[in-house]
Amino acid sequence: MVKRVFSGTQPTGELHIGGYLGAFRGWVEMQHTHDAFYCVVDLHALTAGEEPTRLRRHTLEVASLLLAVGLDPDACTLFVQSHVPEHAQLSWLLECTATMGELGRMTQYKDKAAGRESVPAGLFTYPVLMAADILLYDADEVPVGEDQRQHLELARDLASRFNSRYGPTFVVPEAIIPPVGARVMDLAEPTRKMSKSTSSSLGTIRVLDDPATIERKVRRAVTDIDTEVRYDRGTKPGVSNLVELLAVATGRSREEAAASQAGYASLKAATAEALIEMLHPVQERYVELAGDPAGVRAVLEKGAAKAREVAGTTVSRASQAMGLLPPGRS
Ligand code: ATP
Ligand code: LTN
């Protein structure tokens, strides 16, 4: 039996090569080996207080970018979370089984709530909505970054608890977490991961950056006073990051990529060229999709209809297991 995979991404900020290489390329591969459901989680983005016009724009942009990087609507189900109301519905059912104690231990919640005078309740229940996303689709596997490991553990706990309290209802999902080496680091501060919220724009290469911008950012990337091109994250974080990027962009091993360059200037030139070449088809496709928002929305509409078929069945199953009276006469 093919396994079901589910993953989600928030429609906030602009997609950078960290997310592309660390996550979305994997999504593209998994659509051919799994029954894949991918979701733009706009309800989650509400917890970040996104401004309404920006949220709407980003939702369409992220969906278009996911299609541009290679998600194929005939090979996977791509949809927007709020188009499938069962996400909020199951989230409530699960909230009634989750405890304040376990949600209060979530490190992402603690980090985001720290120092704020008033904390939205949605920030606290964020991981329950995430569990609902996953459990609705009976997902066997959930590819996520290391930072989401604790949320996945909670989803597993909630599924097992529900199953033992109300009878077998949910599949207990497995997290698929890429090895640490798969992390793309900030070009200006190579000991930190490239991130849309904490990196400077100089340290982040966006999927839609033009060739001149990519060249400039890579040329200015931090290296070290040594001259040897070698992969060694501990003592040469900047050079290793460039080697890693050159390797993944050209499909070679790190050793081959490092051996192919004699010095830092050529390493940078080759890396910039490889990234430009890697992103070129994505950018071309994005321009086409951006010119056809109705086409993208049609894809999302079809995805939501498919998602609702599965999600509706799961919500009925969970509702009945908990003792809610089914609508209708029988
Ligand atoms: P933030 O840092 O603001 O939380 P982000 O830049 O990490 O945001 P997300 O939308 O949280 O972006 O990430 C989307 C996906 O890309 C996640 O699965 C995440 O693990 C992965 N990802 C993000 N940054 C990197 C990176 N630098 N290297 C590898 N994978 C990454
Ligand atoms: N919290 C995740 C996004 C997310 C998600 C999900 C990932 C929401 N629901 C379900 C996997 C499965 C993040 O911030 N990366």
Side-chain angles (χ1 to χ4, degrees):
M1 262 271 282
V2 274
K3 290 196 170 167
R4 171 82 50 87
V5 66
F6 182 96
S7 199
T9 189
Q10 291 201 49
T12 45
E14 287 185 77
L15 192 56
H16 54 78
I17 57 168
Y20 173 50
L21 295 170
F24 306 120
R25 276 218 317 198
W27 290 19
V28 172
E29 277 167 31
M30 288 179 111
Q31 70 182 342
H32 302 300
T33 52
H34 290 66
D35 179 14
F37 283 72
Y38 298 128
C39 184
V40 180
V41 292
D42 55 346
L43 297 175
H44 278 109
L46 293 176
T47 65
E50 269 281 62
E51 193 268 313
T53 3
R54 276 169 60 101
L55 177 59
R56 204 172 299 125
R57 181 164 53 82
H58 280 149
T59 302
L60 198 58
E61 277 174 12
V62 166
S64 307
L65 263 168
L66 290 173
L67 292 170
V69 303
L71 288 189
D72 172 358
D74 292 325
C76 70
T77 306
L78 174 66
F79 66 103
V80 174
Q81 190 183 30
S82 65
H83 296 176
V84 181
E86 285 83 359
H87 287 252
Q89 219 177 332
L90 183 62
S91 188
W92 172 255
L93 302 185
L94 294 174
E95 269 175 45
C96 294
T97 69
T99 68
M100 300 286 283
E102 66 192 341
L103 298 186
R105 282 194 291 278
M106 294 292 119
T107 55
Q108 181 176 298
Y109 165 71
K110 288 196 275 190
D111 291 348
K112 295 204 169 170
R116 285 175 69 155
E117 208 171 287
S118 105
V119 178
L123 207 53
F124 189 65
T125 55
Y126 177 111
V128 185
L129 178 60
M130 179 165 163
D133 296 342
I134 299 163
L135 302 184
L136 269 179
Y137 300 96
D138 292 331
D140 303 292
E141 296 181 357
V142 184
V144 280
E146 177 63 41
D147 60 329
Q148 299 298 312
R149 188 189 287 277
Q150 199 188 23
H151 288 164
L152 246 295
E153 271 311 311
L154 178 81
R156 289 168 57 85
D157 288 347
L158 294 180
S160 309
R161 184 178 311 154
F162 194 104
N163 289 346
S164 60
R165 200 176 285 173
Y166 300 110
T169 306
F170 296 124
V171 170
V172 181
E174 298 280 341
I176 306 289
I177 296 178
V180 179
R183 269 178 131 197
V184 176
M185 308 311 272
D186 186 301
L187 293 178
E189 262 181 274
T191 50
R192 275 177 32 173
K193 76 159 195 162
M194 190 180 284
S195 149
K196 64 189 167 214
S197 53
T198 52
S199 293
S200 70
S201 76
L202 208 59
T204 313
I205 294 184
R206 289 182 307 228
V207 171
L208 298 179
D209 274 346
D210 59 46
T213 308
I214 296 175
E215 249 167 30
R216 180 167 47 86
K217 288 178 179 175
V218 175
R219 204 177 328 115
R220 294 209 196 154
V222 167
T223 49
D224 52 47
I225 49 162
D226 194 7
T227 54
E228 195 191 353
V229 178
R230 180 163 54 87
Y231 184 86
D232 177 351
R233 288 267 186 196
T235 59
K236 299 172 75 71
V239 173
S240 302
N241 195 31
L242 293 173
V243 169
E244 173 93 29
L245 285 174
L246 180 59
V248 292
T250 55
R252 284 181 292 178
S253 70
R254 291 163 185 161
E255 292 68 30
E256 282 168 339
S260 71
Q261 303 305 324
Y264 292 172
S266 82
L267 171 65
K268 286 180 168 181
T271 304
E273 195 188 315
L275 290 175
I276 291 166
E277 209 163 291
M278 174 183 85
L279 295 176
H280 180 69
V282 176
Q283 297 180 346
E284 254 187 3
R285 178 117 179 80
Y286 181 79
V287 170
E288 273 173 39
L289 291 159
D292 179 21
V296 175
R297 291 180 70 165
V299 166
L300 296 174
E301 191 181 11
K302 198 171 128 229
K306 231 173 113 194
R308 281 200 80 172
E309 277 175 31
V310 183
T313 317
T314 314
V315 166
S316 303
R317 202 165 69 225
S319 304
Q320 294 198 20
M322 291 180 99
L324 300 178
L325 181 68
R329 300 184 186 176
S330 56

